[in-house]
Amino acid sequence: MRALPWCVRMPCSHALHPQTLLERCQPFHLITPADGTEARLCKGGLVPVEITVKKVQGRKWMTYVKNLELFGIQAEEFRALATKKFACSCSLQEVPGSRNHFVLIQGNLASSVMDFLVTGMGMKQHFVAQKG
């Protein structure tokens, strides 16, 4: 006969139910890069890659791609790939208060960047969020 878990066996009122215990736990996520490098365990909830399009002036648009480093994608490598793939100007900017960078791509390329991340870089679509 199998023994019951300690939370079920304890008759006192301060025993923790397994669901209550899980609710009190801190969130973690595991990043496994597609290139076969070692997986990383990271504290906190998973923030998706954010693609934002903003109008700069007149008819000019800029596409901002943030949070690439959280998924093991180096921003400098992505900038070089995006420059060749989309035949446009790309640059890097530092995120204020962080060591991470975001990539600025000239033009309204949100859907193209999303397709490139999903098909070309091997990311799942629910880890890429498009805004604006």
Side-chain angles (χ1 to χ4, degrees):
M1 186 161 150
R2 204 173 103 217
L4 294 174
W6 65 270
C7 59
V8 176
R9 286 184 290 174
M10 292 181 65
C12 59
S13 62
H14 67 273
L16 288 176
H17 189 270
Q19 185 64 33
T20 307
L21 184 64
L22 286 176
E23 289 171 0
R24 291 183 182 181
C25 289
Q26 197 172 25
F28 281 86
H29 58 276
L30 184 69
I31 301 292
T32 308
D35 61 359
T37 57
E38 188 175 332
R40 293 183 332 211
L41 184 65
C42 303
K43 201 185 239 187
L46 185 62
V47 179
V49 172
E50 184 180 312
I51 302 171
T52 309
V53 177
K54 292 184 181 176
K55 196 172 194 178
V56 180
Q57 62 179 357
R59 294 172 48 185
K60 296 183 181 180
W61 296 84
M62 291 294 286
T63 304
Y64 298 86
V65 184
K66 300 177 188 174
N67 303 327
L68 288 169
E69 283 98 354
L70 300 177
F71 288 90
I73 301 171
Q74 296 299 317
E76 180 61 37
E77 292 175 12
F78 181 79
R79 184 202 60 80
L81 289 172
T83 302
K84 292 178 185 176
K85 171 79 175 169
F86 305 120
C88 63
S89 175
C90 299
S91 64
L92 287 179
Q93 294 285 325
E94 284 189 24
V95 175
S98 175
R99 290 181 290 152
N100 294 336
H101 294 84
F102 62 89
V103 180
L104 290 147
I105 303 173
Q106 185 179 4
N108 187 353
L109 298 170
S111 60
S112 301
V113 170
M114 182 179 247
D115 291 341
F116 179 62
L117 284 171
V118 171
T119 58
M121 306 290 284
M123 288 186 68
K124 302 281 186 197
Q125 186 153 4
H126 60 272
F127 293 137
V128 182
Q130 185 175 342
K131 295 183 178 180

